[in-house]
Amino acid sequence: MTHVGCFAWTLVVSRFAVSISQSVLSLTTATFDAHLRDNRQTMIEFYAPWCGHCKKLAPEYEKAAKDLAPSSVRLGQVDATEEKEIATRYNVKGFPTLMWFEDGQQAEYDGGRTAEGIVEWVTSMTGPAVIRVAAAQGPTTGKPEVVLYADRLFPGFEAAAKANRRKGSWAFIETSAPARVVISHKGEEPLTIMDGCDRQERVDNFFKENAMPLFGRLDGDTFDKYMESGNGLVWGLFKMNGKSLDDIERENRPMMTEVAKRFKGTYHFTYTDSEKFKEAVDNMLSVSEFPAIAVQKKAGDKKKYVHQEEMSAAAIGKFMDDVIAGRVERRLKSEPVPPGRRDSVTVVVGKTLEAEAYTPDKDVLLEVYAPWCGHCKKLEPEYLKLAKKIEKEELTDLIKIAKIDGTANDSPVDSLEWTGFPTIYFFKAGNPEPMTYDGERTAKGLYKYIKKHATKAQEIKERLEKRRRHQTRAGEL
């Protein structure tokens, strides 16, 4: 907030809102642990009074608390800016953060931010983690089915189910046969262990190793799971030709499963609707023609490798081997190289970034912008003013002012990436590591920075002094 008075009033209103809430409990360092002891299952929101997303969540969270009032589940909240000890204990890094606690143990919350979404999630967590059934039902919800076959329900299996209940459907089938745990994904062969079925750690590890299918659907429901997995990601991008996604999955599963088995544990293999998500695929992977196989060595990585030749298990497997061995050039998203005419601000694209920014004899100031970014639009006239100043002072042989659309171009340099806009880098001549500018976003602030940090700062200083002396003498004449 820019006005202290408004900030103070907002703070007072926020605290007052918490204090009058009859459904959401306001917790402090003094009451937090007692709340966990008294409430076997509870959800806690960590918030900051100034946080806009927290204010948006507040009425939804309040409604969810009221809807859940008939149950034994209480919803609480903690002002993380005041109760810093609790926020630190649970590694709270952003606001709002929702956490679920069961028997004092923290669990991940992966539900929605609406009252309906919160209630649905809590309801799913308060029933039995393991359902007793007469026969396996099979995975039908996009989650794996995990079944314990044994003469009794092992506490270790039940504990693993409680820890992962939102990630799979857990069941128990009573049998006198040797104990075993079976994980099944839709369309895939079941996986089985017969040792350690009564140990939580064994079952938990078995589940985590096989929580994702060998060849799974990539869409809005599963995208975050793949991004958070930490593994590499292989995108199967096939021509739809009017077929359903289920048809595409059936046609390509044998081929993709064969390859996926070779790289299990390091890469997840997926398929997606190349028509529905055509624009997103083009933006993320620079792929607009299908079929294609796109590989990210880590899910979400900006570096991608694309195979658009023979579609067979052998060819895709060889491509994967070549990617891992570094024998494949990555697909670089780049706008067309601009015409040779130079403007005050040099336009850089992905294909020209290395040549334009990493120069042996000239410093380069590079703005990474996004066309939709309000801060970038505000900076634009100041940035042009700076470029004109460099020209006026006849410093273009020492300093280059440049810009690149960070949404339409990738960086060809592994050590140079951007996640926010605008980002301004200063490349000193001959230095492979750019400096990040974090000063005033004005022509004056940028110019001052350049004069201080330039490779040839002394020469720039001498030139400017010489020009001023020359202009003074000219004025006297």
Side-chain angles (χ1 to χ4, degrees):
M1 300 291 288
T2 54
H3 298 293
V4 175
C6 290
F7 178 85
W9 173 247
T10 300
L11 187 57
V12 168
V13 169
S14 297
R15 292 188 175 214
F16 180 70
V18 169
S19 67
I20 64 173
S21 170
Q22 297 180 354
S23 301
V24 179
L25 300 174
S26 179
L27 302 174
T28 66
T29 302
T31 62
F32 189 85
D33 290 338
H35 175 78
L36 295 188
R37 287 194 301 270
D38 296 340
N39 294 270
R40 194 179 75 80
Q41 294 176 313
T42 184
M43 178 175 286
I44 308 295
E45 175 204 4
F46 291 87
Y47 74 97
W50 44 259
C51 166
H53 293 296
C54 301
K55 294 173 184 176
K56 183 178 179 180
L57 174 64
E60 298 292 332
Y61 196 64
E62 173 73 14
K63 185 177 185 302
K66 290 179 179 177
D67 292 344
L68 290 166
S71 73
S72 60
V73 178
R74 298 301 305 273
L75 271 56
Q77 62 181 180
V78 174
D79 181 348
T81 65
E82 290 289 330
E83 311 301 333
K84 296 180 180 178
E85 187 275 329
I86 307 176
T88 300
R89 187 196 312 175
Y90 292 103
N91 198 31
V92 175
K93 294 183 177 179
F95 307 113
T97 294
L98 295 177
M99 292 186 184
W100 175 253
F101 291 86
E102 186 162 334
D103 295 324
Q105 298 299 310
Q106 175 192 350
E108 176 188 0
Y109 175 77
D110 57 0
R113 297 292 180 92
T114 64
E116 182 181 2
I118 293 170
V119 171
E120 184 276 328
W121 194 95
V122 169
T123 302
S124 74
M125 293 294 286
T126 52
V130 180
I131 301 174
R132 293 173 180 262
V133 295
Q137 305 300 305
T140 58
T141 62
K143 299 177 182 179
E145 181 185 54
V146 190
V147 182
L148 168 66
Y149 295 83
D151 59 1
R152 65 190 184 281
L153 176 57
F154 298 138
F157 180 84
E158 189 172 19
K162 287 181 178 179
N164 298 282
R165 65 193 299 165
R166 290 286 299 177
K167 300 175 182 178
S169 300
W170 298 75
F172 165 62
I173 297 177
E174 187 173 352
T175 176
S176 59
R180 67 187 188 277
V181 174
V182 180
I183 294 180
S184 301
H185 286 279
K186 186 178 179 181
E188 299 187 0
E189 291 294 321
L191 301 166
T192 304
I193 59 169
M194 301 189 71
D195 62 290
C197 300
D198 57 343
R199 301 201 321 269
Q200 178 183 354
E201 183 180 6
R202 177 70 172 105
V203 176
D204 193 55
N205 288 338
F206 178 55
F207 177 75
K208 288 179 179 177
E209 289 169 2
N210 300 283
M212 305 300 287
L214 278 172
F215 183 49
R217 181 175 297 201
L218 182 58
D219 56 19
D221 293 330
T222 62
F223 184 80
D224 287 344
K225 296 178 183 177
Y226 283 111
M227 292 301 110
E228 294 167 2
S229 72
N231 282 7
L233 188 62
V234 179
W235 300 62
L237 305 167
F238 304 102
K239 285 185 177 180
M240 299 303 292
N241 292 331
K243 299 177 183 178
S244 71
L245 192 55
D246 286 340
D247 290 336
I248 295 299
E249 178 262 323
R250 281 191 292 269
E251 288 177 6
N252 294 282
R253 177 170 287 282
M255 172 182 72
M256 296 299 285
T257 298
E258 182 179 340
V259 186
K261 287 179 178 178
R262 281 188 55 204
F263 299 94
K264 184 178 179 180
T266 54
Y267 283 89
H268 291 306
F269 283 67
T270 67
Y271 61 96
T272 194
D273 190 325
S274 60
E275 288 184 1
K276 181 178 180 180
F277 300 112
K278 181 178 178 64
E279 184 177 351
V281 168
D282 192 14
N283 288 336
M284 291 182 65
L285 305 172
S286 302
V287 176
S288 57
E289 295 184 4
F290 312 110
I293 301 295
V295 178
Q296 294 171 310
K297 291 185 177 180
K298 183 177 180 180
D301 196 342
K302 289 186 177 181
K303 296 185 285 294
K304 53 264 182 182
Y305 307 84
V306 180
H307 172 79
Q308 291 180 303
E309 299 176 6
E310 180 186 343
M311 290 292 157
S312 68
I316 296 170
K318 183 180 184 304
F319 177 72
M320 292 290 300
D321 289 333
D322 289 342
V323 168
I324 294 169
R327 293 190 290 265
V328 179
E329 287 191 14
R330 66 180 174 127
R331 174 71 62 92
L332 183 70
K333 182 165 70 171
S334 177
E335 294 178 290
V337 177
R341 181 178 62 84
R342 291 281 182 175
D343 295 321
S344 299
V345 178
T346 300
V347 177
V348 176
V349 298
K351 293 177 181 177
T352 64
L353 191 150
E354 275 191 279
E356 293 283 10
Y358 295 87
T359 62
D361 56 359
K362 187 181 293 189
D363 293 345
V364 180
L365 190 73
L366 177 69
E367 177 206 1
V368 184
Y369 71 94
W372 43 259
C373 167
H375 293 296
C376 301
K377 293 175 182 177
K378 184 177 180 180
L379 172 62
E380 187 174 3
E382 293 293 319
Y383 205 65
L384 179 59
K385 184 178 178 181
L386 169 69
K388 296 290 187 183
K389 177 68 173 177
I390 296 296
E391 288 179 333
K392 180 181 177 181
E393 300 293 356
E394 299 180 357
L395 298 173
T396 55
D397 60 321
L398 301 179
I399 304 293
K400 180 192 297 182
I401 307 300
K403 66 179 181 179
I404 184 171
D405 182 346
T407 66
N409 299 277
D410 289 338
S411 167
V413 182
D414 289 345
S415 60
L416 182 68
E417 291 189 353
W418 45 81
T419 56
F421 307 105
T423 298
I424 302 174
Y425 293 110
F426 186 62
F427 298 78
K428 300 188 74 169
N431 192 326
E433 296 297 329
M435 302 165 63
T436 302
Y437 176 79
D438 59 359
E440 293 182 12
R441 291 174 182 171
T442 62
K444 184 177 180 179
L446 289 162
Y447 187 56
K448 183 178 179 180
Y449 179 89
I450 289 173
K451 289 191 294 181
K452 179 180 179 180
H453 295 282
T455 301
K456 297 184 178 180
Q458 184 60 35
E459 181 176 342
I460 290 175
K461 181 180 179 181
E462 292 172 357
R463 283 195 194 184
L464 293 176
E465 289 177 349
K466 184 178 180 180
R467 281 178 58 81
R468 279 195 291 271
R469 288 196 300 268
H470 177 75
Q471 290 170 354
T472 299
R473 287 197 300 268
E476 291 175 350
L477 294 175

